[in-house]
Amino acid sequence: MSNGQLQLPKNLMPLILLGIILIIFLSKSTVTIEAGEAGVLWKRFDNGVVVNDPPLNEGFHIVAPWNEVIVYEVRQQELFEKMKVLSSNGLDIILETSAWYLPKYNELGKLHQDIGENYLERVIKPALRSAARSVVGRYTPEQLYASKRDVIQSEIFEETKKILDAQYVQLNELLVRDVTLPSTIKDAIERKLKQEQESLEYEFRLVTAAKEAEKQRIEAQGKADANRILSASLTDKILQDKGIEATLELSKSPNSKVVVIGSGKDGMPIILGNN
């Protein structure tokens, strides 16, 4: 020590310098890939991005310090998009969608080389917007409001997926969360639907009443036919026999005293003395 300063032996200086270089080397040569991530390897002296080999998977990796690893999230991610599109008759429609996507794992190197880390803005959003405009433009507001939401959801999904498949992105699902029409159009559609519902209910009541009337007519006709057949089969002799049978039954009743005297002009007994 001289002048109050600590002096290191000269033979230690190379070792210290070597240690610093080693630390820098190790820090540049190691990379840890977290869960749900994958790494694209870029080689400075060997054609840049590695596209023919799978990306680096989760865990600890050692790479040459002059190379670089670009880390991508490979979990499924969600894009919420609210956009203005035009219907077939030129009216503004507000469409709210959710897209579930992730980069294709084995093509991650190609994605990085051709598109880059900002593939959401460069590829996914433009593809979704283009497909939505194309699909919604085929339908009227009435169709979108009443019955075509599932149809346009499926069509937007198919068109978006077709675009993204060629851009190394996998689209798992697309949901149409809401379709907002201009208030005047929405009110007009709701009034029209209400009138149609009331008309259907009125037609149903008419059909029900007609069926009930037909049922009653058939029942009345049946009764009339039965009475006509019965009347045609009742002769005077049958009526006389039925009258005698009824008189005999009445005579057996303990609460009545029946006196039969002669017969009536039509041959039926005359009953007297009922109590």
Side-chain angles (χ1 to χ4, degrees), residues 73 75-83 95-103 118-132 156-157 160-161 164 169-178:
E73 184 174 358
R75 294 188 184 98
Q76 177 174 278
Q77 302 168 66
E78 181 179 17
L79 165 64
F80 177 78
E81 189 76 354
K82 184 176 182 179
M83 67 194 88
L95 199 66
E96 296 183 15
T97 64
S98 284
W100 299 346
Y101 69 94
L102 68 160
N118 196 21
Y119 65 94
L120 173 63
E121 295 292 337
R122 291 181 176 180
V123 171
I124 298 178
K125 287 185 178 182
L128 177 57
R129 291 167 183 166
S130 174
I156 294 174
F157 171 78
T160 307
K161 180 176 175 61
L164 295 182
V169 176
Q170 176 179 320
L171 182 65
N172 289 341
E173 188 63 86
L174 186 135
L175 306 174
V176 174
R177 294 186 177 274
D178 193 25

Short mmCIF file of all heavy atoms in Angstrom, two decimals, residues 73 75-83 95-103 118-132 156-157 160-161 164 169-178:
data_model
loop_
_atom_site.label_atom_id
_atom_site.label_comp_id
_atom_site.label_asym_id
_atom_site.label_seq_id
_atom_site.Cartn_x
_atom_site.Cartn_y
_atom_site.Cartn_z
N GLU A 73 -44.40 -15.51 -26.69
CA GLU A 73 -45.44 -16.22 -25.94
C GLU A 73 -46.18 -17.15 -26.89
O GLU A 73 -46.65 -16.72 -27.94
CB GLU A 73 -46.42 -15.24 -25.29
CG GLU A 73 -47.46 -15.94 -24.41
CD GLU A 73 -48.35 -14.97 -23.66
OE1 GLU A 73 -48.14 -13.75 -23.79
OE2 GLU A 73 -49.25 -15.44 -22.93
N ARG A 75 -48.67 -19.32 -25.63
CA ARG A 75 -49.99 -19.65 -25.08
C ARG A 75 -51.07 -19.05 -25.98
O ARG A 75 -50.82 -18.14 -26.77
CB ARG A 75 -50.16 -19.07 -23.68
CG ARG A 75 -49.28 -19.63 -22.61
CD ARG A 75 -49.74 -19.07 -21.27
NE ARG A 75 -48.89 -19.47 -20.16
CZ ARG A 75 -47.93 -18.72 -19.64
NH1 ARG A 75 -47.70 -17.52 -20.16
NH2 ARG A 75 -47.20 -19.14 -18.62
N GLN A 76 -52.30 -19.56 -25.80
CA GLN A 76 -53.44 -18.94 -26.48
C GLN A 76 -53.66 -17.54 -25.92
O GLN A 76 -53.67 -17.34 -24.71
CB GLN A 76 -54.71 -19.78 -26.30
CG GLN A 76 -55.95 -19.15 -26.93
CD GLN A 76 -57.15 -20.07 -26.87
OE1 GLN A 76 -57.32 -20.96 -27.68
NE2 GLN A 76 -58.01 -19.86 -25.88
N GLN A 77 -53.85 -16.58 -26.80
CA GLN A 77 -54.08 -15.20 -26.41
C GLN A 77 -55.41 -14.72 -26.98
O GLN A 77 -55.96 -15.32 -27.91
CB GLN A 77 -52.93 -14.30 -26.91
CG GLN A 77 -51.57 -14.75 -26.39
CD GLN A 77 -50.43 -14.06 -27.11
OE1 GLN A 77 -50.25 -12.85 -27.01
NE2 GLN A 77 -49.64 -14.83 -27.85
N GLU A 78 -55.94 -13.63 -26.43
CA GLU A 78 -57.23 -13.11 -26.87
C GLU A 78 -57.07 -11.69 -27.41
O GLU A 78 -56.39 -10.85 -26.82
CB GLU A 78 -58.24 -13.09 -25.71
CG GLU A 78 -59.62 -12.57 -26.14
CD GLU A 78 -60.62 -12.58 -25.00
OE1 GLU A 78 -60.19 -12.68 -23.84
OE2 GLU A 78 -61.83 -12.49 -25.28
N LEU A 79 -57.72 -11.47 -28.52
CA LEU A 79 -57.80 -10.13 -29.11
C LEU A 79 -59.25 -9.68 -29.08
O LEU A 79 -60.12 -10.35 -29.65
CB LEU A 79 -57.29 -10.14 -30.55
CG LEU A 79 -57.63 -8.91 -31.40
CD1 LEU A 79 -56.95 -7.66 -30.83
CD2 LEU A 79 -57.26 -9.12 -32.86
N PHE A 80 -59.52 -8.57 -28.39
CA PHE A 80 -60.86 -7.97 -28.40
C PHE A 80 -60.84 -6.82 -29.38
O PHE A 80 -60.03 -5.91 -29.27
CB PHE A 80 -61.25 -7.47 -27.01
CG PHE A 80 -62.59 -6.78 -26.98
CD1 PHE A 80 -63.76 -7.50 -26.99
CD2 PHE A 80 -62.66 -5.39 -26.98
CE1 PHE A 80 -64.99 -6.86 -26.97
CE2 PHE A 80 -63.88 -4.73 -26.96
CZ PHE A 80 -65.05 -5.48 -26.96
N GLU A 81 -61.74 -6.87 -30.35
CA GLU A 81 -61.74 -5.87 -31.41
C GLU A 81 -63.14 -5.31 -31.60
O GLU A 81 -64.11 -6.07 -31.75
CB GLU A 81 -61.24 -6.49 -32.72
CG GLU A 81 -61.00 -5.50 -33.82
CD GLU A 81 -59.73 -4.69 -33.64
OE1 GLU A 81 -59.07 -4.81 -32.59
OE2 GLU A 81 -59.38 -3.93 -34.56
N LYS A 82 -63.26 -3.99 -31.57
CA LYS A 82 -64.51 -3.29 -31.84
C LYS A 82 -64.33 -2.48 -33.11
O LYS A 82 -63.43 -1.64 -33.17
CB LYS A 82 -64.88 -2.38 -30.67
CG LYS A 82 -66.23 -1.68 -30.81
CD LYS A 82 -66.55 -0.90 -29.54
CE LYS A 82 -67.91 -0.22 -29.63
NZ LYS A 82 -68.22 0.53 -28.39
N MET A 83 -65.16 -2.75 -34.10
CA MET A 83 -64.94 -2.12 -35.41
C MET A 83 -66.25 -1.67 -36.03
O MET A 83 -67.32 -2.20 -35.72
CB MET A 83 -64.20 -3.09 -36.33
CG MET A 83 -65.01 -4.30 -36.73
SD MET A 83 -64.02 -5.62 -37.47
CE MET A 83 -63.53 -6.51 -35.98
N LEU A 95 -69.46 -3.78 -34.71
CA LEU A 95 -69.26 -5.20 -34.45
C LEU A 95 -68.20 -5.37 -33.37
O LEU A 95 -67.12 -4.80 -33.46
CB LEU A 95 -68.81 -5.89 -35.74
CG LEU A 95 -68.96 -7.40 -35.84
CD1 LEU A 95 -70.44 -7.79 -35.83
CD2 LEU A 95 -68.29 -7.91 -37.10
N GLU A 96 -68.53 -6.14 -32.34
CA GLU A 96 -67.57 -6.44 -31.26
C GLU A 96 -67.23 -7.92 -31.31
O GLU A 96 -68.13 -8.78 -31.24
CB GLU A 96 -68.16 -6.07 -29.90
CG GLU A 96 -68.42 -4.58 -29.75
CD GLU A 96 -68.94 -4.21 -28.37
OE1 GLU A 96 -68.84 -5.04 -27.45
OE2 GLU A 96 -69.46 -3.09 -28.22
N THR A 97 -65.94 -8.23 -31.43
CA THR A 97 -65.50 -9.61 -31.57
C THR A 97 -64.37 -9.94 -30.60
O THR A 97 -63.67 -9.05 -30.12
CB THR A 97 -65.01 -9.89 -33.00
OG1 THR A 97 -63.85 -9.09 -33.26
CG2 THR A 97 -66.09 -9.57 -34.03
N SER A 98 -64.22 -11.22 -30.36
CA SER A 98 -63.06 -11.73 -29.62
C SER A 98 -62.44 -12.85 -30.43
O SER A 98 -63.15 -13.77 -30.86
CB SER A 98 -63.46 -12.26 -28.24
OG SER A 98 -63.70 -11.19 -27.35
N ALA A 99 -61.13 -12.77 -30.65
CA ALA A 99 -60.41 -13.80 -31.39
C ALA A 99 -59.41 -14.48 -30.46
O ALA A 99 -58.68 -13.80 -29.73
CB ALA A 99 -59.70 -13.20 -32.59
N TRP A 100 -59.39 -15.82 -30.47
CA TRP A 100 -58.43 -16.60 -29.68
C TRP A 100 -57.37 -17.14 -30.63
O TRP A 100 -57.69 -17.90 -31.55
CB TRP A 100 -59.13 -17.73 -28.94
CG TRP A 100 -60.18 -17.26 -27.98
CD1 TRP A 100 -60.36 -16.00 -27.51
CD2 TRP A 100 -61.19 -18.05 -27.36
NE1 TRP A 100 -61.43 -15.94 -26.64
CE2 TRP A 100 -61.95 -17.18 -26.52
CE3 TRP A 100 -61.54 -19.39 -27.41
CZ2 TRP A 100 -63.04 -17.63 -25.76
CZ3 TRP A 100 -62.61 -19.84 -26.65
CH2 TRP A 100 -63.35 -18.97 -25.83
N TYR A 101 -56.13 -16.79 -30.40
CA TYR A 101 -55.07 -17.12 -31.36
C TYR A 101 -53.78 -17.47 -30.64
O TYR A 101 -53.61 -17.21 -29.44
CB TYR A 101 -54.82 -15.92 -32.28
CG TYR A 101 -54.18 -14.74 -31.57
CD1 TYR A 101 -52.80 -14.58 -31.57
CD2 TYR A 101 -54.94 -13.81 -30.87
CE1 TYR A 101 -52.20 -13.52 -30.89
CE2 TYR A 101 -54.35 -12.76 -30.20
CZ TYR A 101 -52.98 -12.62 -30.21
OH TYR A 101 -52.40 -11.58 -29.53
N LEU A 102 -52.84 -18.03 -31.37
CA LEU A 102 -51.49 -18.27 -30.90
C LEU A 102 -50.59 -18.50 -32.11
O LEU A 102 -51.07 -18.92 -33.17
CB LEU A 102 -51.41 -19.47 -29.96
CG LEU A 102 -51.67 -20.87 -30.54
CD1 LEU A 102 -51.08 -21.93 -29.62
CD2 LEU A 102 -53.15 -21.14 -30.71
N PRO A 103 -49.30 -18.20 -31.98
CA PRO A 103 -48.39 -18.46 -33.10
C PRO A 103 -48.20 -19.97 -33.28
O PRO A 103 -48.22 -20.73 -32.31
CB PRO A 103 -47.09 -17.78 -32.67
CG PRO A 103 -47.16 -17.74 -31.18
CD PRO A 103 -48.60 -17.59 -30.83
N ASN A 118 -44.26 -8.05 -33.73
CA ASN A 118 -45.51 -7.29 -33.70
C ASN A 118 -46.53 -7.86 -34.70
O ASN A 118 -47.22 -7.13 -35.39
CB ASN A 118 -45.23 -5.82 -34.02
CG ASN A 118 -46.39 -4.91 -33.63
OD1 ASN A 118 -47.22 -5.29 -32.80
ND2 ASN A 118 -46.47 -3.75 -34.24
N TYR A 119 -46.62 -9.19 -34.75
CA TYR A 119 -47.51 -9.84 -35.72
C TYR A 119 -48.98 -9.58 -35.41
O TYR A 119 -49.83 -9.68 -36.31
CB TYR A 119 -47.23 -11.33 -35.79
CG TYR A 119 -47.54 -12.11 -34.54
CD1 TYR A 119 -48.76 -12.74 -34.36
CD2 TYR A 119 -46.59 -12.22 -33.51
CE1 TYR A 119 -49.04 -13.46 -33.21
CE2 TYR A 119 -46.86 -12.93 -32.37
CZ TYR A 119 -48.08 -13.56 -32.22
OH TYR A 119 -48.37 -14.27 -31.08
N LEU A 120 -49.31 -9.22 -34.18
CA LEU A 120 -50.70 -8.91 -33.85
C LEU A 120 -51.19 -7.72 -34.66
O LEU A 120 -52.27 -7.75 -35.28
CB LEU A 120 -50.84 -8.64 -32.35
CG LEU A 120 -52.22 -8.14 -31.88
CD1 LEU A 120 -53.29 -9.19 -32.13
CD2 LEU A 120 -52.18 -7.78 -30.39
N GLU A 121 -50.40 -6.65 -34.67
CA GLU A 121 -50.79 -5.44 -35.40
C GLU A 121 -50.58 -5.59 -36.90
O GLU A 121 -51.35 -5.04 -37.70
CB GLU A 121 -49.97 -4.24 -34.89
CG GLU A 121 -50.23 -3.88 -33.44
CD GLU A 121 -51.62 -3.31 -33.22
OE1 GLU A 121 -52.22 -2.81 -34.20
OE2 GLU A 121 -52.11 -3.37 -32.08
N ARG A 122 -49.57 -6.33 -37.29
CA ARG A 122 -49.23 -6.43 -38.70
C ARG A 122 -50.10 -7.42 -39.47
O ARG A 122 -50.32 -7.24 -40.67
CB ARG A 122 -47.76 -6.85 -38.85
CG ARG A 122 -46.78 -5.79 -38.42
CD ARG A 122 -45.35 -6.26 -38.61
NE ARG A 122 -44.38 -5.21 -38.28
CZ ARG A 122 -43.07 -5.37 -38.37
NH1 ARG A 122 -42.56 -6.52 -38.78
NH2 ARG A 122 -42.26 -4.38 -38.04
N VAL A 123 -50.59 -8.45 -38.79
CA VAL A 123 -51.30 -9.53 -39.50
C VAL A 123 -52.70 -9.79 -38.96
O VAL A 123 -53.68 -9.78 -39.70
CB VAL A 123 -50.47 -10.83 -39.45
CG1 VAL A 123 -51.28 -12.00 -39.99
CG2 VAL A 123 -49.19 -10.67 -40.26
N ILE A 124 -52.80 -10.02 -37.63
CA ILE A 124 -54.06 -10.52 -37.08
C ILE A 124 -55.17 -9.48 -37.17
O ILE A 124 -56.27 -9.77 -37.67
CB ILE A 124 -53.87 -10.99 -35.62
CG1 ILE A 124 -52.87 -12.14 -35.57
CG2 ILE A 124 -55.21 -11.42 -35.02
CD1 ILE A 124 -52.57 -12.65 -34.18
N LYS A 125 -54.91 -8.27 -36.71
CA LYS A 125 -55.95 -7.24 -36.76
C LYS A 125 -56.39 -6.91 -38.18
O LYS A 125 -57.60 -6.85 -38.45
CB LYS A 125 -55.48 -5.98 -36.02
CG LYS A 125 -55.44 -6.13 -34.51
CD LYS A 125 -55.08 -4.82 -33.84
CE LYS A 125 -55.10 -4.95 -32.32
NZ LYS A 125 -54.78 -3.66 -31.64
N PRO A 126 -55.47 -6.70 -39.11
CA PRO A 126 -55.93 -6.44 -40.49
C PRO A 126 -56.73 -7.60 -41.08
O PRO A 126 -57.71 -7.38 -41.79
CB PRO A 126 -54.62 -6.24 -41.26
CG PRO A 126 -53.64 -5.79 -40.23
CD PRO A 126 -54.01 -6.51 -38.99
N ALA A 127 -56.34 -8.84 -40.79
CA ALA A 127 -57.07 -9.99 -41.32
C ALA A 127 -58.48 -10.06 -40.76
O ALA A 127 -59.45 -10.31 -41.50
CB ALA A 127 -56.31 -11.28 -40.98
N LEU A 128 -58.61 -9.83 -39.45
CA LEU A 128 -59.92 -9.87 -38.81
C LEU A 128 -60.83 -8.76 -39.35
O LEU A 128 -62.01 -9.00 -39.65
CB LEU A 128 -59.75 -9.74 -37.30
CG LEU A 128 -61.04 -9.69 -36.47
CD1 LEU A 128 -61.90 -10.91 -36.72
CD2 LEU A 128 -60.71 -9.56 -34.98
N ARG A 129 -60.30 -7.56 -39.48
CA ARG A 129 -61.10 -6.45 -39.98
C ARG A 129 -61.54 -6.68 -41.42
O ARG A 129 -62.68 -6.40 -41.79
CB ARG A 129 -60.30 -5.15 -39.86
CG ARG A 129 -60.07 -4.71 -38.43
CD ARG A 129 -59.02 -3.62 -38.35
NE ARG A 129 -58.73 -3.23 -36.96
CZ ARG A 129 -57.69 -2.51 -36.60
NH1 ARG A 129 -56.82 -2.09 -37.51
NH2 ARG A 129 -57.51 -2.20 -35.33
N SER A 130 -60.64 -7.18 -42.23
CA SER A 130 -60.97 -7.45 -43.63
C SER A 130 -62.07 -8.49 -43.75
O SER A 130 -63.03 -8.33 -44.51
CB SER A 130 -59.71 -7.91 -44.38
OG SER A 130 -60.03 -8.30 -45.70
N ALA A 131 -61.95 -9.58 -42.99
CA ALA A 131 -62.96 -10.64 -43.04
C ALA A 131 -64.30 -10.14 -42.53
O ALA A 131 -65.36 -10.47 -43.10
CB ALA A 131 -62.49 -11.84 -42.21
N ALA A 132 -64.30 -9.35 -41.46
CA ALA A 132 -65.55 -8.83 -40.90
C ALA A 132 -66.27 -7.93 -41.89
O ALA A 132 -67.49 -8.04 -42.08
CB ALA A 132 -65.27 -8.08 -39.60
N ILE A 156 -66.90 -15.26 -40.60
CA ILE A 156 -65.75 -14.42 -40.26
C ILE A 156 -64.58 -15.30 -39.77
O ILE A 156 -63.42 -15.08 -40.12
CB ILE A 156 -66.12 -13.36 -39.20
CG1 ILE A 156 -67.11 -12.36 -39.77
CG2 ILE A 156 -64.87 -12.63 -38.71
CD1 ILE A 156 -67.64 -11.37 -38.75
N PHE A 157 -64.90 -16.30 -38.98
CA PHE A 157 -63.87 -17.21 -38.48
C PHE A 157 -63.16 -17.91 -39.64
O PHE A 157 -61.92 -17.96 -39.69
CB PHE A 157 -64.50 -18.25 -37.55
CG PHE A 157 -63.56 -19.37 -37.17
CD1 PHE A 157 -62.59 -19.16 -36.21
CD2 PHE A 157 -63.64 -20.60 -37.79
CE1 PHE A 157 -61.70 -20.19 -35.86
CE2 PHE A 157 -62.76 -21.62 -37.45
CZ PHE A 157 -61.79 -21.42 -36.49
N THR A 160 -61.02 -15.38 -41.72
CA THR A 160 -59.84 -14.93 -40.98
C THR A 160 -58.82 -16.05 -40.85
O THR A 160 -57.62 -15.85 -41.02
CB THR A 160 -60.24 -14.43 -39.57
OG1 THR A 160 -61.26 -13.44 -39.69
CG2 THR A 160 -59.05 -13.82 -38.85
N LYS A 161 -59.31 -17.24 -40.55
CA LYS A 161 -58.41 -18.40 -40.39
C LYS A 161 -57.65 -18.68 -41.69
O LYS A 161 -56.46 -19.01 -41.67
CB LYS A 161 -59.23 -19.62 -39.98
CG LYS A 161 -58.41 -20.89 -39.77
CD LYS A 161 -59.27 -22.02 -39.27
CE LYS A 161 -58.48 -23.31 -39.17
NZ LYS A 161 -57.35 -23.19 -38.23
N LEU A 164 -54.81 -16.19 -41.86
CA LEU A 164 -53.77 -16.35 -40.84
C LEU A 164 -52.99 -17.65 -41.00
O LEU A 164 -51.81 -17.72 -40.59
CB LEU A 164 -54.40 -16.28 -39.45
CG LEU A 164 -55.01 -14.92 -39.07
CD1 LEU A 164 -55.56 -14.97 -37.65
CD2 LEU A 164 -54.00 -13.80 -39.22
N VAL A 169 -49.93 -18.17 -38.11
CA VAL A 169 -50.72 -17.91 -36.90
C VAL A 169 -51.92 -18.86 -36.89
O VAL A 169 -52.59 -19.04 -37.91
CB VAL A 169 -51.22 -16.46 -36.84
CG1 VAL A 169 -52.11 -16.24 -35.61
CG2 VAL A 169 -50.03 -15.50 -36.81
N GLN A 170 -52.18 -19.44 -35.74
CA GLN A 170 -53.29 -20.38 -35.59
C GLN A 170 -54.47 -19.67 -34.90
O GLN A 170 -54.33 -19.16 -33.80
CB GLN A 170 -52.85 -21.58 -34.75
CG GLN A 170 -53.96 -22.58 -34.44
CD GLN A 170 -53.46 -23.75 -33.63
OE1 GLN A 170 -52.34 -24.25 -33.87
NE2 GLN A 170 -54.23 -24.20 -32.66
N LEU A 171 -55.62 -19.66 -35.57
CA LEU A 171 -56.84 -19.07 -35.00
C LEU A 171 -57.70 -20.20 -34.45
O LEU A 171 -58.14 -21.07 -35.19
CB LEU A 171 -57.59 -18.28 -36.07
CG LEU A 171 -58.87 -17.58 -35.60
CD1 LEU A 171 -58.53 -16.48 -34.59
CD2 LEU A 171 -59.62 -16.98 -36.79
N ASN A 172 -57.94 -20.19 -33.14
CA ASN A 172 -58.71 -21.27 -32.51
C ASN A 172 -60.21 -21.00 -32.48
O ASN A 172 -61.01 -21.92 -32.64
CB ASN A 172 -58.22 -21.49 -31.07
CG ASN A 172 -56.86 -22.14 -31.04
OD1 ASN A 172 -56.41 -22.74 -32.02
ND2 ASN A 172 -56.17 -22.01 -29.92
N GLU A 173 -60.59 -19.76 -32.27
CA GLU A 173 -62.02 -19.44 -32.15
C GLU A 173 -62.23 -17.96 -32.40
O GLU A 173 -61.34 -17.15 -32.16
CB GLU A 173 -62.53 -19.81 -30.75
CG GLU A 173 -64.03 -19.71 -30.56
CD GLU A 173 -64.79 -20.66 -31.46
OE1 GLU A 173 -64.99 -21.82 -31.09
OE2 GLU A 173 -65.16 -20.20 -32.57
N LEU A 174 -63.41 -17.64 -32.90
CA LEU A 174 -63.81 -16.25 -33.04
C LEU A 174 -65.25 -16.10 -32.57
O LEU A 174 -66.12 -16.87 -32.98
CB LEU A 174 -63.68 -15.77 -34.49
CG LEU A 174 -63.94 -14.27 -34.66
CD1 LEU A 174 -62.90 -13.63 -35.55
CD2 LEU A 174 -65.33 -14.01 -35.22
N LEU A 175 -65.48 -15.13 -31.69
CA LEU A 175 -66.80 -14.91 -31.12
C LEU A 175 -67.30 -13.52 -31.49
O LEU A 175 -66.55 -12.54 -31.36
CB LEU A 175 -66.76 -15.04 -29.59
CG LEU A 175 -66.18 -16.34 -29.03
CD1 LEU A 175 -66.09 -16.25 -27.52
CD2 LEU A 175 -67.01 -17.54 -29.46
N VAL A 176 -68.53 -13.45 -31.97
CA VAL A 176 -69.19 -12.15 -32.18
C VAL A 176 -69.93 -11.83 -30.90
O VAL A 176 -70.97 -12.42 -30.60
CB VAL A 176 -70.14 -12.20 -33.39
CG1 VAL A 176 -70.91 -10.89 -33.50
CG2 VAL A 176 -69.36 -12.45 -34.67
N ARG A 177 -69.41 -10.89 -30.14
CA ARG A 177 -69.98 -10.58 -28.83
C ARG A 177 -71.22 -9.68 -28.94
O ARG A 177 -72.17 -9.82 -28.17
CB ARG A 177 -68.94 -9.91 -27.94
CG ARG A 177 -67.78 -10.83 -27.57
CD ARG A 177 -66.85 -10.16 -26.57
NE ARG A 177 -65.79 -11.04 -26.16
CZ ARG A 177 -65.89 -11.92 -25.16
NH1 ARG A 177 -67.02 -12.02 -24.51
NH2 ARG A 177 -64.87 -12.69 -24.84
N ASP A 178 -71.20 -8.76 -29.89
CA ASP A 178 -72.33 -7.84 -30.00
C ASP A 178 -72.38 -7.26 -31.40
O ASP A 178 -71.35 -7.06 -32.05
CB ASP A 178 -72.20 -6.72 -28.97
CG ASP A 178 -73.49 -5.92 -28.83
OD1 ASP A 178 -74.57 -6.48 -29.14
OD2 ASP A 178 -73.43 -4.75 -28.44
#
